[in-house]
Amino acid sequence: SLRARARERASQDISVSWFPANKHVKGKPCEDHCILQHSNRICVITLAESHPLLQNGKTIKSINYQISANCSRLQNKVSGKFKRGAQFLTELAPLCRISCSDGEEYTVSSCVRGRLMEVNENILDKPSILQEKPSTEGYIAVVLPKFEESKSITEGLLTQKEYEEIVVKRVNNRPETS
């Protein structure tokens, strides 16, 4: 399909990776997300490599795009040039909830204001790809920021280098266990 080809092209031609600072993401500290922004302004929302789901050998039990009784991201139906029917998201809007076999639950937020173009239904059937290939086949969702906001969405976000520096500081500041 045209959308599948566009998504494939976008994942191959990502221009910049951005990382929301913890203050932008509702949730527990260190639940880092990554925004892969293509030159055509499309943003692919993924888990950052430091996210606990990718670090601690966790087993994903379920992924749920049902955000509330009245809101399911799976009900998002986009059509036409002007993307009619797309759900509008704020930066803090939850995209999905991920439950682990150890009882932990993680909420993945949009991190970007814009229209929800699609969610990755493949991770529902095969949650392991979220951990095996988080920045490609295991992405969470695709969001299209408003044209006039597409330049400003990166304000307050960390570059790859800044993000890596923060992760190193976190590791160095962890209390040692005896």
Side-chain angles (χ1 to χ4, degrees):
S1 80
L2 182 62
R3 191 187 308 179
R5 285 197 310 272
R7 185 176 57 248
E8 183 67 29
R9 197 172 62 242
S11 69
Q12 292 171 350
D13 191 27
I14 300 295
S15 56
V16 190
S17 297
W18 297 98
F19 301 86
N22 273 338
K23 66 181 181 201
H24 287 347
V25 179
K26 241 166 51 175
K28 300 172 200 121
C30 307
E31 288 184 18
D32 298 326
H33 301 69
C34 177
I35 302 161
L36 305 174
Q37 186 181 32
H38 188 270
S39 56
N40 66 4
R41 85 181 197 273
I42 287 218
C43 294
V44 179
I45 311 303
T46 70
L47 297 179
E49 56 197 47
S50 61
H51 194 284
L53 278 169
L54 306 180
Q55 291 296 309
N56 306 329
K58 291 189 174 280
T59 303
I60 297 175
K61 187 172 74 176
S62 67
I63 298 170
N64 193 349
Y65 283 112
Q66 184 79 35
I67 300 310
S68 68
N70 300 326
C71 180
S72 171
R73 300 300 181 206
L74 293 173
Q75 299 303 312
N76 190 62
K77 301 286 182 239
V78 181
S79 66
K81 180 179 176 183
F82 297 105
K83 311 302 179 210
R84 282 184 211 86
Q87 295 174 13
F88 187 78
L89 305 169
T90 64
E91 297 92 329
L92 298 177
L95 291 170
C96 68
R97 298 192 199 323
I98 304 170
S99 300
C100 296
S101 55
D102 65 2
E104 285 285 325
E105 185 175 279
Y106 301 94
T107 299
V108 179
S109 300
S110 170
C111 307
V112 175
R113 279 173 48 88
R115 295 190 179 277
L116 180 63
M117 296 291 98
E118 70 177 70
V119 294
N120 184 0
E121 294 185 43
N122 296 329
I123 61 176
L124 297 174
D125 299 326
K126 192 175 177 208
S128 60
I129 61 171
L130 184 67
Q131 293 166 305
E132 294 161 10
K133 300 176 180 180
S135 60
T136 56
E137 294 170 47
Y139 71 97
I140 305 290
V142 177
V143 178
L144 180 65
K146 286 184 174 177
F147 182 76
E148 55 275 12
E149 293 179 9
S150 59
K151 295 276 188 272
S152 64
I153 63 162
T154 57
E155 289 171 13
L157 298 179
L158 304 173
T159 64
Q160 178 86 33
K161 185 173 188 268
E162 292 167 332
Y163 164 72
E164 288 169 359
E165 288 168 1
I166 283 179
V167 170
V168 166
K169 282 180 190 168
R170 273 190 211 148
V171 170
N172 291 340
N173 290 334
R174 275 198 192 130
E176 290 190 32
T177 55
S178 48

